[in-house]
Amino acid sequence: MKTTKLIKSVAIAALLAGGNAFAAPVELLLNGGFEADVQAAGSWNIYPGLTDWTGGGYGIELRNNVAGVAAQGVNFVELDTTHNSSLSHTVLTNAGQLYTLSFQFQDREHVDASSQGLVVSWGGGAVDSVNNSLGGGWETRTYTLTGNGSAMDLKFLAVGTDDSLGTSLDNVSLTTAVPEPETYAMLLAGLGLVGFAARRRKAAK
């Protein structure tokens, strides 16, 4: 009887550890591709903010396939507007919850590298500083972030020379992270133990 209870405890622990193991990732950004805001083809403008995004002190420059082509759709943003600026989105996080951030960025062609770059921050702490002046074209970066149970800001900030010729940003995605393979293994092992115990009880009768 004690062995059976122990096995049940292990199985329950595995189930709890698995949590939403079979749930699909949830996208937390409504406008990660900046397509929700209408911008005329071949034009650009600076806005205080965009749908789902708060602009910094010098706003957000929204472009529709001008001075570059969007990574997806037709719109993308630049954050060195009249001066280096930023955009941010606030997420109400769960403590210990993992989140997957991905985005695409591209430095301005034929512009000095010192003018380019973005700093990415999460909850006020720097995640990375990116530029691709040596590679050219759209580049993708992916990061795993951790929630602390409070409202945390995802922020992109233009850096480099303050000259209105900054790095472009597009296709931002923030999702709840998919559980690691070990979580699935633990869950299946727990279910297997429950099944094994049930068969032993049945055979002993």
Side-chain angles (χ1 to χ4, degrees):
M1 179 66 76
K2 289 183 179 180
T3 301
T4 301
K5 287 183 178 179
L6 177 60
I7 291 172
K8 285 183 177 179
S9 297
V10 172
I12 291 171
L15 288 168
L16 291 175
N20 297 321
F22 297 111
V26 177
E27 177 59 62
L28 302 177
L29 301 179
L30 300 177
N31 188 27
F34 311 110
E35 301 297 321
D37 298 271
V38 177
Q39 184 68 39
S43 72
W44 62 275
N45 204 353
I46 298 173
Y47 301 93
L50 299 176
T51 301
D52 213 30
W53 296 100
T54 300
Y58 297 100
I60 303 168
E61 186 172 307
L62 182 66
R63 296 176 172 274
N64 181 316
N65 287 337
V66 62
V69 176
Q72 60 90 40
V74 294
N75 288 347
F76 60 99
V77 301
E78 182 186 323
L79 299 178
D80 186 353
T81 57
T82 56
H83 298 279
N84 283 339
S85 192
S86 65
L87 60 72
S88 62
H89 173 88
T90 302
V91 181
L92 183 59
T93 66
N94 296 317
Q97 171 71 54
L98 298 181
Y99 301 87
T100 300
L101 167 67
S102 68
F103 59 89
Q104 292 180 274
F105 65 98
Q106 177 178 248
D107 287 353
R108 184 78 74 95
E109 291 185 350
H110 313 301
V111 174
D112 190 86
S114 64
S115 177
Q116 306 297 292
L118 295 171
V119 168
V120 188
S121 67
W122 172 246
V127 175
D128 202 359
S129 178
V130 301
N131 67 70
N132 67 349
S133 296
L134 297 179
W138 288 98
E139 184 175 337
T140 302
R141 292 288 175 89
T142 301
Y143 305 87
T144 298
L145 311 176
T146 304
N148 64 10
S150 69
M152 301 180 71
D153 285 340
L154 170 64
K155 186 175 183 179
F156 295 86
L157 172 69
V159 293
T161 305
D162 197 15
D163 58 5
S164 301
L165 300 172
T167 297
S168 300
L169 175 68
D170 199 3
N171 206 19
V172 184
S173 173
L174 182 68
T175 64
T176 51
V178 176
E180 297 295 326
E182 292 80 7
T183 301
Y184 292 100
M186 192 176 189
L187 178 61
L188 292 173
L191 293 173
L193 286 172
V194 171
F196 176 74
R199 289 193 298 273
R200 285 195 63 183
R201 285 200 306 271
K202 186 175 181 180
K205 289 181 179 180

